[in-house]
Amino acid sequence: IEEPLIFETGRLDVTGVDLYAQEETPARLGGLRRRTAPHLPGLTEPEAVRHYVRLSQKNYAIDTGLYPLGSCTMKHNPRLNEKMARLPGFGDIHPLQPVSTVQGALELIHLVAEGLKVLTGMPAVAMSPKAGAHGELCGMMAIKAALRARGDARSVVLVPESAHGTNPATAALLGYRVESIPARADGTVDPEAVKAKLAPDVAAIMLTNPNTCGLFERDIIEIAEAVHAAGAFFYCDGANFNAILGRVRPGDLGVDAMHINLHKTFSTPHGGGGPGAGPVVLSEALAAFAPLPWVVSGPEGFDLVENADKAGGAHPFGRMTAFHGQMGMFVRAAAWMLSHGADGMRQAAEDAVLAANYIRASLSDLMSLPFGDRPCMHEVLFDDEFLDGTGVTTLDFAKAMIDEGYHPMTMYFPLVVHGAMLIEPTESESKASLDLFIATLRDLAMAARRGETDRFAGAPRFAPRRRLDETRAARQPVLRWSAPAPVGPEPARDAAE
Amino acid sequence: IEEPLIFETGRLDVTGVDLYAQEETPARLGGLRRRTAPHLPGLTEPEAVRHYVRLSQKNYAIDTGLYPLGSCTMKHNPRLNEKMARLPGFGDIHPLQPVSTVQGALELIHLVAEGLKVLTGMPAVAMSPKAGAHGELCGMMAIKAALRARGDARSVVLVPESAHGTNPATAALLGYRVESIPARADGTVDPEAVKAKLAPDVAAIMLTNPNTCGLFERDIIEIAEAVHAAGAFFYCDGANFNAILGRVRPGDLGVDAMHINLHKTFSTPHGGGGPGAGPVVLSEALAAFAPLPWVVSGPEGFDLVENADKAGGAHPFGRMTAFHGQMGMFVRAAAWMLSHGADGMRQAAEDAVLAANYIRASLSDLMSLPFGDRPCMHEVLFDDEFLDGTGVTTLDFAKAMIDEGYHPMTMYFPLVVHGAMLIEPTESESKASLDLFIATLRDLAMAARRGETDRFAGAPRFAPRRRLDETRAARQPVLRWSAPAPVGPEPARDAAE
Amino acid sequence: MRYLPLTEADRAAMLAKIGVSSIDDLFADVPRAAWRTDPVDLPKAKSEMEVERLLARLAGRNVAAASVPFFVGAGAYRHHVPASVDHLIQRSEFLTSYTPYQPEVSQGTLQVLFEFQTQVAELTGMEVANASMYDGSTATGEAVLMAHRLTRREKAVVAGNLHPHYRAVVENLAEMAGHEVEVLPPVPVGAEDILGRIDDTVSCVVVQSPDVFGNLVDMAPIAEKAHAHGALLIAVFTEVVSLGLIEPPGAMGADIVVGEGQGIGNGLNFGGPYVGLFATRQKFVRQMPGRLCGQTVDAEGRRGFVLTLSTREQHIRREKATSNICTNSGLCALAFTIHMTLLGARGLERLAEINHQNAVKLADMLGAVPGVDVLNTAFFNEFTIRIPGKAHEAIEALARKGVLGGVPASRLYPGEGLDNLILVAATEINTDDDRAAYVTALEEVVG
Amino acid sequence: MRYLPLTEADRAAMLAKIGVSSIDDLFADVPRAAWRTDPVDLPKAKSEMEVERLLARLAGRNVAAASVPFFVGAGAYRHHVPASVDHLIQRSEFLTSYTPYQPEVSQGTLQVLFEFQTQVAELTGMEVANASMYDGSTATGEAVLMAHRLTRREKAVVAGNLHPHYRAVVENLAEMAGHEVEVLPPVPVGAEDILGRIDDTVSCVVVQSPDVFGNLVDMAPIAEKAHAHGALLIAVFTEVVSLGLIEPPGAMGADIVVGEGQGIGNGLNFGGPYVGLFATRQKFVRQMPGRLCGQTVDAEGRRGFVLTLSTREQHIRREKATSNICTNSGLCALAFTIHMTLLGARGLERLAEINHQNAVKLADMLGAVPGVDVLNTAFFNEFTIRIPGKAHEAIEALARKGVLGGVPASRLYPGEGLDNLILVAATEINTDDDRAAYVTALEEVVG
């Protein structure tokens, strides 16, 4: 059964929210009362519940199957964390209540902040950024502020070809010119290539480590030292922190700023696209420029520094957002950290790396590895060479996975590899689950090799929808529902609006 | 993808529950320590969540579609009610805490009890029965106790042919001989037939009203009077109370005892088969025999009468169950009652009756009504006459509904009608939902008429399973998982157990 | 009204289609004497916010177990239930589905029941289990009726230390059905002579372990004697977690094992809903009450599950059914199954071990309070103490000090001379602080 | 560990398959200088029960809004969210799914986004809306950047009564990107001369209504002047419920409407996560930041939804993207959509009406307290009072009396001479008792 839009079934005179009656006093709206009601149909609770339950059933989710998206870290989201975030003492407090009434909340933020500092080996952290890209922006702003503070107007940011799109977008947003660094044949960054680019106008380099090819940048310390020697800063994209959690501290690699996706490494749920949280750890050199606000712990309890005049010796560059960051995500991340502990977090990283390598080793005979059959970190990158001559594309291959009950892996990213397929299993999959996934991919790879192109070109067949026409969507954008135009003599539905 | 059993994927050395370590002291088990571990494999949380989420996806539910089961009242379950039942002050209190620490809980039970008394017009209610059948047992025990108290050892209970199976089963459990009353041609009970059976050894009559043909027993007062005149009692099966809620009080019909399914009329969720709650309202004549325990309200607050010596002038017949009844269901029912109010409950009954009659009127030209095209209550009964000669059975017809996205209606019940199909839409369906359901049934009825037998005989096709072999299940019962027998030279899985 | 989708316009259109002029016409069969024109005398509809406020106020008048040092047991036990359990049982497809009579669209519920039955059988050491009963007490009543059917005898012998509520349920059912039941007096310390009551007229012996006072009972000799006389042993437990550590009744010769499953997966809920467990031997299965889920195949030969052996049940057999039970404790059984699956044998054993350890620690601490004696020698997570004064007064006094210290035996056994005894339960939720608070408070109360 | 399914045996088998002898071999590329052999200096793994206890203790140290008379607003508002909203957003298929880049298996999320975009457009009176931003403040920052792109000018004029946090975000972004921003001083009472600041160098004017002091602003004249100079009007709101009662910015000529959507469907959460709403004219859509969901058809011609116009986005356009935003507020947008769907236009209007009425009542009551003045003439559900003493001290004193009475203006505007002002918000959650408690407490505090 197809599920209609609420605008097609809801009625303007229906509401699913009863409110109490009360005596009315004259309004004081200064003549600005709304003149026409919005076209917002209502559904009663039975209708709304069914509508959204049925819509939900059209989604794939980590709770329904392995979600092998590289660079996205779709791991299990513990239910305790959801429960904790809903405690009234966390979920039902206002960001501008007196600090005396939110001491536990400030302590929670402090707890997470301290944990991130220990895990990264960095001296400071800015908690307010609302997602990874926001964290990147925050980190790069801190770099810009630090450069300014020393009167240094640098204009270039170096970004490897394999970087996430957010990296160049962030740099550009701040007015930097982006210069690309090509990848070495082995998929990592060549320190010599970096050094060659390190002119005096380079403000920073933005590196992802482990990188988006699933490899640890083995020359990262040399790169960091060269960057620092050139007076530039080292921004690290922390999207892949899951691979090294508890095993490697970015602070020991010479990182100056790195955002941490709490919705990846620390397992706050993705929610179909958000919300996330992107705290940024900062080096000694950048710590003083961290944005407002932050939590401080003192003898009389916790306090919030919300304004520059209370910032002590620091020089906050400004404010990233209203209020204090993604509290709801902090609670979940705290629960995850406490549940795993130092031992469990290290084990999680190891299991994630182990799982990716297990997939690599189990598929290397059938699928092609662009950088050879060598250990990867928590994600393994294949290219489409093994599909050469089969008539099957990376896209076809990925869509065929849907028919086997799996979400596709990340495709065509990173851009440095032709027809990339980036697979990240995470630590939450059992060996049985990995084995079934491997068997499925082997079966598909062999089917492609055998020339069973029908199985690929037409996929998916067993999903709520066949392949969707994305070109049409972009060429003739329909971005909202509109009442259909009147047809013939009958008045159109809702035409009265 | 097929979902295996936990016994096939779980491992005996895995647990998804971490517990704290502590110093151990010597055990004091008196030599009764377990000698062999049970074969209970564990799953970690990621595995368990995925397993049960995927299993859930194989179920139909009221949240996913209209559930037209006659006599089962599958209506919307408000989410507020679930939230309220989980308040620590209701969900996390022990039945044997001091009554001084559970005053709010006793008040809640009192609130529901008083509400049920008002709605039924009855002077007393026994709250402890755990489901409808348990309530029947309670009501019939009260009747037996009342008869005993007057030294009257009657041995027969009259039950109409159309009754729910629980009615005769309950009577038999108490040692009564069950005598059947045939239905009148119009589907209701003939008072003359009852009077003919009303010998001095008749203890009670058990009637369902509205009855299972979806009809209000129009001579019910006459029947009640005859029963009382014969010194017998009138037990009313309250499964269909939803039809008359707030419009007719059973107390005004001469009922002596009636159970109320809180999981039907008062919308506590069915949960795949339970739990329910079956409070029993009692007439003046039976009130003194109500079972222990009950709540009393006094000047110093609420108290629990748990023992006969505190029962005042009453003569409780005994105890139906440990503790005080289905508190979790009481909270949900209270929320439902308060939310609807006197006006909303009456409206709910009217809408339920309206919906059933709308279906009747919309299908009467294509499907056959055994008792003619006259108003029904909250459920409408069709028979299989309209399928005569089509080669399609009631079962086929019902299973074909699955392929159209609907749960089948109640089939082959009541027994008084050939190939019965009993449809109860409830008040929670919108007109659009009813119209779609009607259109689907019309389409199926016409397909049957057109002889499209393939569409029926093979149904369902689009369900997690095709038709299941129930005969095989009963003839060679496999009621639990067992480790497969060893095959060949390899040691069998889990054979070490 | 937020739960009623029909609008006035819808209602008018529907009445028109039906061909009547008002809703009253559809109630034409209602006798005028019972015809009500006005709503009943209850308050009008309330908004969600108002209902929430009202009920939260009532809830706030109760002392939640989590908010105090908590040691109450006697048939219901507070354990930590993983958050994922409540999340999963609230899945719409589990919560709002009906009894799985249509197996093609109920495989989720059915497979869960199959897993549940297997888990219960494994835990109790029995061959088969049903798909749940209301609770432990009603399961015990049903077990006695089943024993009567199997033995064609009508006399049950019931141990004195069976939970008094369970005893009352059995007595009531037996008495109402015209059967005989012989109940021994309670024996908080020492053994009772139940063996001496078993003869060829007895259908079954009902014995609980751990019993209501917390004592562990070796049932093997009772089973032996019962079987020698053609009687059955019905073993009862109220704390299912005990089966993680103590020998299961099946291994001691029980014929029917019944008990309360609340302790796994389910909260205290002020006494309900709970989940009755019911297991027996394969050969007795056709006399078993309640629903059963069985494995079969579908039309394409794929494994699937159905409710089966329903010729035992009331909806098929009517007055010849093995029980009148219909609605059972499906969702509570689901919670049990999920929690049990998370635990596994290893987690269950560890859980039981911690319970026992905490009980041992607490017993030693309370026993060291001047004037207080611990009565039990062998116990699992519950034991009985004797105090100098009236137990029910002490419990009230403890409650005023913010400690819920257990159940006075006199509440369960009024007028049976057990006025100085408190049943005390310890579980994994108790901390060192909880135990210390209890000791301090008890010292003050009895001092 | 309960979240890690691999056993030691699994790990050994997997290492063998990989062909390495230990996990360390897989980390061979890590420089020795950064190689850690021990776990970091954090506590070891804790059981679920321990974590729950620890976090519940922290939560218990905060005063939850529901537990007191509560009147705090200034950018975040406490409304009653129906229980079904939180139930639905916790559905595994919504909660644990990724961004819907694979539309065939993400139609649930995508259809929700299409409904969300339509609802936001309708509410704001605009043509199109995106699929959400982080929150209102960052949406405002993005709106200014978008106006720069559209007008190819780089100077924004910002009303003095824009929420100071929003102002700070805009200033920071502008300053870091090298743009200019002219901010007017705050004006709690009376009008500011924003019209006078608009000239041909201005890219946009940023105006909030209701403004941070609660005043309603007629934006039509500002739009007119801005358009006359080729500038855009960016309208901002922090209380989305106001759109149920007051004229939407789209009807007053706004070109971009941004604001905070938290008030519908989302709790206070101590400031986040929230959901930024962003709507504009159809013709500007290709300069819009953030994700967009569009309607299309699948290979069989059935309607379906996809993320579209992604050539604006960073993952396609990299440094040429309209924004660097990636993860947004999907689940908060879902909560918004469900709550909005339950409300419908009728429910929303009623909700807004009650909010306004409660604010009017409260303003009259507080204004009657000796020494206290209400500054606003026209307002929605929030207003500003002037008290005799320091506002921040009064708020602390009120908190000690168990009333959370609002936000001192000086907390938002330190050192700007607004020390006697309190921003007070009233919503449907406030009862007569709440209002009376506030009056009593305030009388004591200022008396």
Side-chain angles (χ1 to χ4, degrees), chain A residues 158-298:
Chain A
L158 306 181
V159 178
E161 285 175 342
S162 62
H164 297 114
T166 47
N167 295 174
T170 298
L173 195 54
L174 294 176
Y176 287 113
R177 199 172 72 245
V178 174
E179 285 193 16
S180 189
I181 308 170
R184 219 167 9 193
D186 70 356
T188 59
V189 174
D190 184 349
E192 299 311 321
V194 173
K195 287 174 192 166
K197 293 266 191 182
L198 275 174
D201 61 344
V202 171
I205 186 168
M206 297 182 81
L207 279 188
T208 307
N209 184 47
N211 72 21
T212 61
C213 302
L215 304 172
F216 195 95
E217 292 287 357
R218 64 178 192 274
D219 296 315
I220 193 161
I221 292 182
E222 184 183 346
I223 294 169
E225 285 169 356
V227 166
H228 289 154
F233 289 94
F234 174 10
Y235 186 88
C236 184
D237 182 323
N240 294 339
F241 190 39
N242 202 49
I244 57 171
L245 188 67
R247 279 202 66 117
V248 181
R249 301 188 309 173
D252 296 334
L253 303 172
V255 167
D256 288 299
M258 182 180 91
H259 71 272
I260 297 167
N261 292 308
L262 297 186
H263 49 296
K264 294 182 179 176
T265 310
F266 295 89
S267 180
T268 76
H270 275 73
V280 179
V281 287
L282 298 169
S283 65
E284 225 35 276
L286 297 179
F289 304 97
L292 294 164
W294 61 79
V295 175
V296 291
S297 165

Side-chain angles (χ1 to χ4, degrees), chain B residues 70 100 113 154 174 185 189 198-199 218 232 270 313 321 329 332 377 415 465 470 497:
Chain B
S100 60
R154 295 173 178 235
L174 294 175
V189 174
L198 275 173
R218 63 177 192 275
H270 276 73
T321 178
M329 307 295 113
R332 291 170 174 87
M377 298 304 288
L415 309 174
R465 282 290 177 274
E470 308 211 12
E497 269 306 286

Side-chain angles (χ1 to χ4, degrees), chain D residues 51-323:
Chain D
V51 175
E52 184 165 354
R53 193 171 278 151
L54 191 157
L55 292 178
R57 198 170 63 232
L58 290 189
R61 288 192 197 137
N62 306 315
V63 177
S67 65
V68 289
F70 184 86
F71 304 94
V72 190
Y77 300 87
R78 185 169 196 273
H79 293 290
H80 175 79
V81 179
S84 54
V85 175
D86 193 46
H87 176 86
L88 288 165
I89 72 168
Q90 288 195 69
R91 294 267 311 163
S92 285
E93 297 88 335
F94 284 135
L95 182 74
T96 74
S97 64
Y98 192 67
T99 308
Y101 290 132
Q102 299 295 328
E104 299 88 350
V105 287
S106 311
Q107 285 297 303
T109 294
L110 286 162
Q111 184 166 334
V112 167
L113 293 181
F114 193 78
E115 293 181 355
F116 171 80
Q117 290 173 183
T118 308
Q119 287 176 335
V120 173
E122 281 292 333
L123 262 179
T124 54
M126 302 301 286
E127 289 165 349
V128 289
N130 75 8
S132 86
M133 309 297 284
Y134 307 133
D135 68 357
S137 68
T138 55
T140 306
E142 292 274 10
V144 170
L145 296 184
M146 174 172 157
H148 292 346
R149 289 193 298 273
L150 284 167
T151 60
R152 298 174 191 271
R153 301 176 187 173
E154 295 196 343
K155 177 180 166 185
V157 171
V158 174
N161 293 359
L162 178 69
H163 192 293
H165 285 178
Y166 288 47
R167 180 181 79 182
V169 171
V170 170
E171 283 181 311
N172 179 51
L173 206 54
E175 196 247 348
M176 282 285 178
H179 304 151
E180 194 183 343
V181 50
E182 180 178 349
V183 181
L184 278 65
V187 190
V189 201
E192 62 189 343
D193 179 27
I194 199 159
L195 295 180
R197 309 301 179 101
I198 303 173
D199 61 31
D200 289 354
T201 69
V202 169
S203 73
C204 61
V205 188
V206 184
V207 183
Q208 178 180 330
S209 177
D211 70 21
V212 72
F213 300 103
N215 302 298
L216 299 181
V217 180
D218 183 359
M219 295 190 229
I222 305 171
E224 200 174 326
K225 179 85 186 279
H227 294 160
H229 287 275
L232 304 179
L233 172 62
I234 297 174
V236 181
F237 55 88
T238 61
E239 167 54 300
V240 62
V241 172
S242 68
L243 296 175
L245 201 61
I246 66 170
E247 189 69 346
M252 295 191 279
D255 300 287
I256 306 175
V257 182
V258 288
E260 179 54 62
Q262 169 269 331
I264 293 182
N266 290 274
L268 292 172
N269 288 324
F270 200 49
Y274 287 174
V275 50
L277 309 186
F278 196 114
T280 189
R281 302 179 186 279
Q282 176 78 39
K283 65 181 175 188
F284 297 154
V285 74
R286 284 176 201 269
Q287 285 301 330
M288 202 179 205
R291 292 186 193 127
L292 279 167
C293 169
Q295 181 177 312
T296 187
V297 294
D298 79 353
E300 295 177 355
R302 295 175 298 179
R303 177 169 72 184
F305 303 94
V306 292
L307 291 182
T308 192
L309 299 183
S310 48
T311 48
R312 300 164 303 108
E313 290 185 81
Q314 44 74 25
H315 68 282
I316 304 293
R317 290 281 278 179
R318 302 177 75 84
E319 65 267 30
K320 304 216 171 50
T322 57
S323 163

Side-chain angles (χ1 to χ4, degrees), chain A residues 3-4 6 8 13 15-16 20 22 24-25 28-29 32-35 39-40 42-43 51-52 55-56 59-63 67 69 72 74 77-78 83 86 89 91-94 96-97 100-105 107 133 141 144 148 163 165-166 170 172 243 247 269-275 306 317 319 321-323 326-328 338-343 346-347 351 374 399 407 411 427-428 464-469 473-474 478-481, chain D residues 1-3 5 11 24 29 35-37 40 42-43 45-46 52 58-59 61-63 65-66 72-73 76 78 86 90-98 102-109 111 114-115 117-119 122-123 126-127 135 137 165 172 175-176 243 245-247 268-270 272-273 286 291 294-300 303 306 308 314 318-319 324 328 331 341-346 350 353-354 356-358 360 364 378-379 396 411 428:
Chain A
E3 191 62 20
I6 52 171
E8 294 160 346
D13 57 347
T15 180
Y20 51 90
Q22 61 178 16
E24 308 283 311
T25 52
R28 249 169 265 177
L29 296 171
L32 289 172
R33 184 183 281 274
R34 188 164 190 136
R35 288 192 297 267
H39 186 85
L40 292 169
L43 294 179
H51 176 66
Y52 290 105
L55 283 186
S56 78
N59 273 4
Y60 192 93
I62 185 73
D63 279 3
Y67 221 122
L69 280 175
C72 298
M74 291 296 287
N77 307 124
K83 185 176 176 188
R86 285 166 173 81
D92 191 27
I93 55 175
H94 191 287
L96 297 176
Q97 284 181 212
S100 60
T101 66
V102 291
Q103 286 293 304
E107 185 171 349
M141 283 176 169
K144 189 159 190 169
R148 274 187 189 169
T166 47
T170 298
R247 279 202 66 117
H270 275 73
E306 293 180 290
F317 66 71
R319 178 177 273 278
T321 177
F323 312 129
Q326 304 286 69
M327 180 68 175
L338 291 164
S339 292
H340 283 77
D343 46 343
R346 185 179 168 100
Q347 185 70 59
D351 283 359
R374 51 189 289 256
K399 297 292 184 190
H407 193 280
M411 290 175 278
E427 72 273 17
S428 350
R465 282 290 177 275
R466 305 292 296 270
R467 272 192 229 185
L468 288 146
D469 188 344
V478 179
L479 305 176
R480 56 168 291 180
W481 180 85
Chain D
M1 210 277 143
R2 61 191 176 275
Y3 303 131
R11 291 181 185 120
D24 285 352
D29 284 340
W35 184 276
R36 289 187 63 86
T37 48
V40 293
L42 287 172
K46 288 186 185 352
E52 184 165 354
L58 290 189
R61 288 192 197 137
N62 306 315
V63 177
V72 190
R78 185 169 196 273
D86 193 46
Q90 288 195 69
R91 294 267 311 163
S92 285
E93 297 88 335
F94 284 135
L95 182 74
T96 74
S97 64
Y98 192 67
Q102 299 295 328
E104 299 88 350
V105 287
S106 311
Q107 285 297 303
T109 294
Q111 184 166 334
F114 193 78
E115 293 181 355
Q117 290 173 183
T118 308
Q119 287 176 335
E122 281 292 333
L123 262 179
M126 302 301 286
E127 289 165 349
D135 68 357
S137 68
H165 285 178
N172 179 51
E175 196 247 348
M176 282 285 178
L243 296 175
L245 201 61
I246 66 170
E247 189 69 346
L268 292 172
N269 288 324
F270 200 49
R286 284 176 201 269
R291 292 186 193 127
Q295 181 177 312
T296 187
V297 294
D298 79 353
E300 295 177 355
R303 177 169 72 184
V306 292
T308 192
Q314 44 74 25
R318 302 177 75 84
E319 65 267 30
N324 78 333
N328 59 17
L331 202 71
T341 297
L342 285 165
L343 284 164
R346 177 169 285 194
R350 178 76 194 131
E353 186 71 60
I354 289 182
H356 181 56
Q357 293 289 334
N358 280 357
V360 168
D364 287 348
F379 56 92
E396 287 286 349
R411 180 165 178 182
E428 76 283 2

